[in-house]
Amino acid sequence: MSKITPSDSLEQDIQTLKQRFFRANKGRYERCFEQLTYKQQSVLEIIPILFHINDAFLPGFIDDNVPSGFHGFKPDNNQLERLKGFNRNFKYSPKYIQEGELSSIYIMGSCGSVAQNSQSDLDFWLIHNHDLSAERIFSLEKKAQLIEKWAETFNLEVHFFLMSAEDFKAKKVGKLTSEHSGSAQHMLLLDEFYRSCILLVGSYPIWWLVPCERELEYDSFVKGIYAKGVLGYRETIDFGSTLPLATEELYGASIWQLCKAIDAPYKSILKSVLLEYYVESKNKNVLLSQEFKYRIHHNTVNLNQLDAYLLLYSMVEQYFLDTNQVSRLTIFRKSIYLKLNLKLSQTLAKTRSW
């Protein structure tokens, strides 16, 4: 694909990139979806509706003053049918469609990747408008907690992390997944989010549209896109760039992984080795998220080549081979096998997994 710049052809370039990213997004969602039981699938399908409206017939209801509404969101027939399975008394009405105080909702982490299994939890990023009062954000958090408890009744562990994009860019947020301390690992968390996120509803990251070779001039490139006026109202959301990645953050994250290793040793080995690769890499701008975006921009359509954990594996494997660390590569391979929890003694025909 030719180099994409804020030019007269930008609108066509954006449409091409959107189609590619949303195709990958859809494929990841389907892979995530098929790992769940029927009831768990129904929970996942209706989560956007639960935040889109406040209704006493729906799980998580507190009152009518809780922030709600994704701009332009309209539940499809399948979502509404799933909703009926929980409460046949609820009737969806167009009156619920509103300007919206919520920007988007994503899942991030192992979902939709080879690392997802029956024990995997789902981490959601729920993005709200920046101008919400602290009191109303608190009420939205309480609603999210009620929905988490409701999902538990179907053996589905979910976590909601609330923020505004503006606060994230300003590093005014704390814990943003069940595995990270957001303020201490800001760029690394963003790196993981960009390479693994699945958009459910709302604005997509404008980061999608910035070519890898322009990442170091991210802000000016984004301003150029906005100046052209080719994006729809609230079409995109800006979490910022992953670059430049500070070396001190890599060392701080390594200490964090030592702590996490007590509960999740195999996952910590994977992430610690990735951090080592980032530190030792001669090209400080090559992150997994950058490789993921590069493949999308160059029209990679194979979902396995876009899988967040397979990307991690292939990059670290090449690092060990290039540095002749065969014994460490063996340990790494065993760790990823144990983390994935795949039973290779069973044929694929006997499993539900792709």
Side-chain angles (χ1 to χ4, degrees), residues 111-149:
C111 52
S113 78
V114 70
Q116 183 182 355
N117 56 53
S118 58
Q119 287 78 47
S120 297
D121 57 357
L122 299 180
D123 284 348
F124 292 84
W125 280 21
L126 179 60
I127 317 302
H128 57 75
N129 290 357
H130 181 62
D131 56 0
L132 293 182
S133 67
E135 181 181 1
R136 301 197 70 223
I137 293 174
F138 179 75
S139 67
L140 185 59
E141 290 175 340
K142 296 298 291 184
K143 178 173 182 174
Q145 290 168 6
L146 291 176
I147 295 175
E148 288 177 355
K149 292 179 180 178

Side-chain angles (χ1 to χ4, degrees), residues 181-344:
S181 173
S183 59
Q185 303 180 54
H186 179 83
M187 289 304 187
L188 289 169
L189 177 58
L190 188 58
D191 175 44
E192 182 174 359
F193 172 76
Y194 279 148
R195 71 178 184 257
S196 69
C197 71
I198 300 173
L199 174 63
L200 299 184
V201 169
S203 309
Y204 64 85
I206 197 169
W207 177 86
W208 284 0
L209 308 180
V210 180
C212 295
E213 63 269 21
R214 305 296 297 274
E215 189 85 18
L216 288 174
E217 43 186 310
Y218 175 90
D219 288 335
S220 61
F221 190 91
V222 167
K223 288 179 181 178
I225 296 177
Y226 285 136
K228 285 291 182 179
V230 296
L231 298 176
Y233 176 62
R234 297 182 69 171
E235 179 178 340
T236 63
I237 191 167
D238 186 9
F239 297 105
S241 172
T242 55
L243 300 178
L245 184 60
T247 302
E248 56 268 24
E249 184 171 318
L250 295 172
Y251 289 116
S254 298
I255 295 173
W256 173 262
Q257 287 304 322
L258 289 175
C259 298
K260 294 299 295 182
I262 297 173
D263 296 323
Y266 304 119
K267 179 185 286 189
S268 291
I269 287 176
L270 304 185
K271 294 196 173 183
S272 295
V273 173
L274 177 64
L275 292 171
E276 177 185 331
Y277 168 77
Y278 283 171
V279 170
E280 297 294 334
S281 176
K282 294 180 181 179
N283 185 350
K284 297 300 183 183
N285 300 329
V286 177
L287 304 179
L288 285 182
S289 58
Q290 294 292 314
E291 179 63 24
F292 166 72
K293 182 163 66 170
Y294 179 86
R295 295 184 182 192
I296 294 282
H297 277 232
H298 288 76
N299 205 22
T300 297
V301 296
N302 188 316
L303 280 177
N304 293 341
Q305 294 178 358
L306 300 172
D307 185 292
Y309 271 79
L310 293 180
L311 273 173
L312 185 156
Y313 174 79
S314 62
M315 185 173 282
V316 171
E317 179 187 52
Q318 192 59 51
Y319 164 65
F320 281 141
L321 291 174
D322 289 344
T323 54
N324 196 29
Q325 299 186 68
V326 179
S327 60
R328 294 188 69 203
L329 175 57
T330 300
I331 295 173
F332 176 72
R333 285 172 171 165
K334 290 179 179 179
S335 296
I336 200 164
Y337 171 71
L338 292 168
K339 165 65 181 75
L340 301 188
N341 194 29
L342 296 173
K343 298 180 180 178
L344 297 185

